[in-house]
Amino acid sequence: MIHRRETVQMEQCWTNARLATMAGGDLGLIDDGVVAAKDGRIVYAGPVTGAPAAAGQSHDVEGRLITPGLIDCHTHLIHGGNRANEWAMRLEGASYEEIARAGGGIVSTMRATREASEAELFASALPRLDALIAEGVTTIEIKSGYGLRVDDELKMLRAARALGEHRAIRVEPTFLGAHALPPEYRGDSDAYIDLVVGEMIPAAAPLATAVDAFCEGIGFSPEQCARVLVAAKAHELKVKLHAEQLSALSGSALAARHGALSADHLEYATEDDVRAMAEAGTVAVLLPGAFYFMRETKLPPVDAMRRLGVRIALATDNNPGTSPTSSLLLMLNMGATLFGLTVVEALRGVTVNAAAALGLSDEIGTLEAGKACDLAIWNVSDPAELVYRVGFNPLHQRIKDGQ
Ligand code: DI6
Ligand code: FE
């Protein structure tokens, strides 16, 4: 099934709906609501009493809940192979080090990704993308970061873009060359960052909208990540950072100082980090799938985020090593059960705040006039049900750009 996007030159409306517009600071609930769209853009979302006279096609949604189309703002959806065998070894008692010594870990995914053609990467990612689409996801961020040399990083970014051309979904490709040190650099991470900054970012700039790096003991130092972020901004790319996933290096504060849209993971973030993020308006992207799969016990500082006013987003982190999930609905439940998020926080985390994490607040994330008409129509009337269910998908219909 090939789906190419076309511009809709028509007026449409969805009536008899319960709307969760996400406008304002909560869910923005409107009973007996209407969404009207023209040429793929929302022209009205509000109570039936103020709605414009129905023009064009009208759809009675029979009391169903309509939310903005969901946004998965952090994924590594493109990757060669998988690591099911390594995980099986770990369940039988093998340590991470043993697996790494046996050629496993991130380097095994690098090898599989280098060996795969662009078409193979596209084809293997498609079922994962379709699983997200089936849950009402209308925008996805996809990172490179398993090629770790110029041509293979570009191949990943092209495969990510191709997904957006073959399905009705907005794809935001992010360059993550500074994800891991490729073995041919034999421990010389500064030399690899020279390559990232000097060759990879200029080559990736036409294909990516943002740049990310893995700030971690097993990744790159804050100083090295700073070089990456500075180079990205010189190419007018948006920036973000994997920070405080396994240890506290204040990568999140560094990201904030560099005007990052988001800092992601954050289990080990301190109050000072959160304060720096609040001051810069950097979004906290929480990834409960990785927390769960790695059996992490250190919780991200959600209370400090609330108190200091940092917006929270939730994403799948879909990747073969630490979060092999293709369910954003499951992340809603895990965000609540594992991190203590409320229904409002969880749902805003995959809509309005996820849009902010991608720098797309003017385009998507709420049901408001002027935004893209990306809708998820659910077979539920209470928004809490979307967070409450575990492993159940109540999507009725998904609309992308009014279609
Ligand atoms: N943090 C993660 O959890 C993944 N990357 C990252 O920076 C792990 C990627 C992998 O193990 O393949
Ligand atoms: Fe990640």
Side-chain angles (χ1 to χ4, degrees):
M1 186 183 78
I2 303 269
H3 186 130
R4 285 187 182 279
R5 235 183 283 168
E6 293 153 27
T7 321
V8 210
Q9 302 292 343
M10 64 182 300
E11 294 179 36
Q12 306 220 69
C13 68
W14 291 265
T15 63
N16 198 10
R18 187 149 199 243
L19 306 181
T21 65
M22 308 293 163
D26 54 19
L27 296 180
L29 280 181
I30 294 170
D31 287 319
D32 207 357
V34 170
V35 178
K38 187 164 188 278
D39 301 344
R41 295 254 153 199
I42 296 173
V43 292
Y44 178 82
V48 66
T49 46
Q57 245 184 328
S58 178
H59 316 269
D60 179 350
V61 304
E62 300 171 331
R64 290 185 175 90
L65 177 72
I66 302 185
T67 66
L70 305 189
I71 301 166
D72 193 354
C73 66
H74 179 140
T75 86
H76 308 252
L77 199 81
I78 300 276
H79 50 261
N82 69 65
R83 309 231 287 274
N85 58 340
E86 287 179 23
W87 189 67
M89 284 163 67
R90 273 168 59 186
L91 293 176
E92 287 178 14
S95 71
Y96 192 81
E97 288 71 33
E98 284 166 337
I99 291 168
R101 253 184 279 121
I106 216 164
V107 170
S108 70
T109 300
M110 178 206 77
R111 220 176 292 117
T113 303
R114 286 180 175 182
E115 280 164 15
S117 67
E118 185 183 320
E120 285 166 343
L121 291 177
F122 171 90
S124 67
L126 203 52
R128 297 188 284 271
L129 183 72
D130 283 340
L132 288 163
I133 286 173
E135 290 190 340
V137 173
T138 49
T139 299
I140 183 175
E141 186 255 18
I142 303 178
K143 300 174 195 297
S144 69
Y146 288 115
L148 308 180
R149 57 187 183 197
V150 179
D151 289 352
D152 295 303
E153 286 292 306
L154 300 183
K155 175 178 75 180
M156 288 187 76
L157 292 171
R158 283 195 302 268
R161 294 180 81 92
L163 289 173
E165 284 156 18
H166 286 80
R167 287 288 188 268
I169 188 161
R170 178 174 185 143
V171 172
E172 290 289 304
T174 295
F175 170 69
L176 175 61
H179 189 198
L181 185 64
E184 62 269 20
Y185 274 78
R186 298 176 190 284
D188 191 349
S189 55
D190 282 327
Y192 180 63
I193 294 295
D194 288 343
L195 176 78
V196 168
V197 164
E199 284 184 47
M200 286 182 166
I201 289 178
L207 295 170
T209 58
V211 171
D212 191 355
F214 188 26
C215 186
E216 193 55 69
I218 60 164
F220 297 92
S221 72
E223 294 71 27
Q224 291 170 331
C225 291
R227 289 184 60 200
V228 173
L229 302 189
V230 167
K233 285 193 290 183
H235 283 85
E236 289 172 9
L237 293 163
K238 302 183 259 195
V239 299
K240 57 182 84 175
L241 202 62
H242 278 71
E244 273 70 69
Q245 180 183 7
L246 308 168
S247 61
L249 300 178
S250 280
S252 41
L254 173 95
R257 283 199 303 278
H258 285 268
L261 291 169
S262 71
D264 303 39
H265 284 287
L266 302 173
E267 279 85 342
Y268 288 81
T270 64
E271 177 128 354
D272 283 346
D273 295 330
V274 176
R275 190 169 297 108
M277 290 174 66
E279 281 163 12
T282 299
V283 177
V285 176
L286 303 184
L287 304 165
F291 176 93
Y292 164 84
F293 195 74
M294 299 305 282
R295 296 183 180 160
E296 177 59 69
T297 53
K298 177 84 171 71
L299 286 163
V302 169
D303 279 337
M305 290 167 188
R306 287 183 183 128
R307 198 165 14 88
L308 298 168
V310 169
R311 292 167 292 177
I312 296 170
L314 281 173
T316 61
D317 195 17
N318 177 292
N319 79 69
T322 64
S323 192
T325 177
S326 305
S327 175
L328 192 56
L329 287 174
L330 183 58
M331 298 307 104
L332 286 178
N333 180 270
M334 285 188 177
T337 53
L338 299 175
F339 295 164
L341 299 188
T342 65
V343 166
V344 172
E345 286 168 336
L347 288 171
R348 289 178 68 82
V350 295
T351 54
V352 61
N353 291 349
L358 296 177
L360 296 176
S361 295
D362 293 340
E363 276 289 306
I364 53 172
T366 64
L367 304 180
E368 288 179 290
K371 298 218 177 162
C373 184
D374 294 354
L375 313 177
I377 307 175
W378 304 96
N379 284 318
V380 308
S381 55
D382 182 356
E385 207 175 326
L386 297 178
V387 181
Y388 154 80
R389 303 254 170 222
V390 186
F392 180 70
N393 178 5
L395 188 77
H396 171 68
Q397 204 188 351
R398 171 189 179 276
I399 306 291
K400 176 79 188 99
D401 296 320
Q403 280 192 300

